[in-house]
Amino acid sequence: MASTAARTYLTPKEYLAFERKATTKHDYLNGQIVAMLGASFAHNFITVNIATSLNVQLMEGECRVATSDMRVKVTEIDSYFYPDVVVVCGEPRAEDDTFDTLLNPVLIVEVLSPSTEGYDRGEKFDHYQQIVSLKDYILISQDEVRVEHYCRQEFKWRQSEFQGLEDVLSLLSIGCELRLSDIYRRVEVASG
């Protein structure tokens, strides 16, 4: 999803009240809201492909998959984001009784858009790293076959990159694999 630069200050409580009534989604970062714009066909198809592949693999286990309507909170900085795909294992922890804000994601996927790529790689990833439960962060290009996987190993993040449709990304934290041929199935992009 792309974001606009127009921002307004709200407290976390005001943001949640606003967001729960809004007809469009907004991230919340350090007291400011950021409106989320619509996504391209490629972005949407890639998101569904990833969610479908993970959901099929996780169907019988303790982990569950959600897409971009599941808000995630970074508690340490009172910020909220809408990842394209999120996986939670075990009992999902919610911020409150509304159960629309996840506190304990294990895996987050962002499909890169031209307007959000820098934000997803930089500031947003910096914030996501503060989520103790997060083990995997995946960035997916929608313009070319390119997947970046950041895996938490103790106190460091290890990065791997994949650029071939024959490549397979192993996600040890949830016991799954993502085949790039499945991620990009029926999506027109440049091959690596």
Side-chain angles (χ1 to χ4, degrees), residues 152-164:
R152 187 188 309 253
Q153 295 183 337
E154 295 190 28
F155 303 107
K156 294 169 88 174
W157 288 87
R158 184 178 61 88
Q159 189 225 3
S160 303
E161 189 169 312
F162 305 87
Q163 295 183 318

Side-chain angles (χ1 to χ4, degrees), residues 116-131:
T116 65
E117 183 170 353
Y119 177 58
D120 289 340
R121 287 181 188 290
E123 188 174 15
K124 189 185 274 189
F125 184 35
D126 289 343
H127 295 305
Y128 281 154
Q129 290 179 56
Q130 296 181 44
I131 302 172

Side-chain angles (χ1 to χ4, degrees), residues 107-192:
L107 178 142
I108 289 176
V109 177
E110 295 286 2
V111 179
L112 301 173
S113 300
S115 61
T116 65
E117 183 170 353
Y119 177 58
D120 289 340
R121 287 181 188 290
E123 188 174 15
K124 189 185 274 189
F125 184 35
D126 289 343
H127 295 305
Y128 281 154
Q129 290 179 56
Q130 296 181 44
I131 302 172
V132 176
S133 61
L134 188 66
K135 305 294 183 220
D136 295 286
Y137 183 56
I138 302 170
L139 297 174
I140 311 286
S141 173
Q142 65 175 313
D143 300 319
E144 62 180 333
V145 175
R146 185 168 171 224
V147 174
E148 296 168 62
H149 176 218
Y150 296 86
C151 178
R152 187 188 309 253
Q153 295 183 337
E154 295 190 28
F155 303 107
K156 294 169 88 174
W157 288 87
R158 184 178 61 88
Q159 189 225 3
S160 303
E161 189 169 312
F162 305 87
Q163 295 183 318
L165 287 174
E166 69 284 352
D167 290 341
V168 178
L169 169 58
S170 293
L171 300 167
L172 301 178
S173 65
I174 59 172
C176 290
E177 292 183 339
L178 276 176
R179 297 180 181 287
L180 271 66
S181 59
D182 291 337
I183 292 171
Y184 290 101
R185 186 175 309 279
R186 300 176 67 187
V187 177
E188 292 186 32
V189 293
S191 291

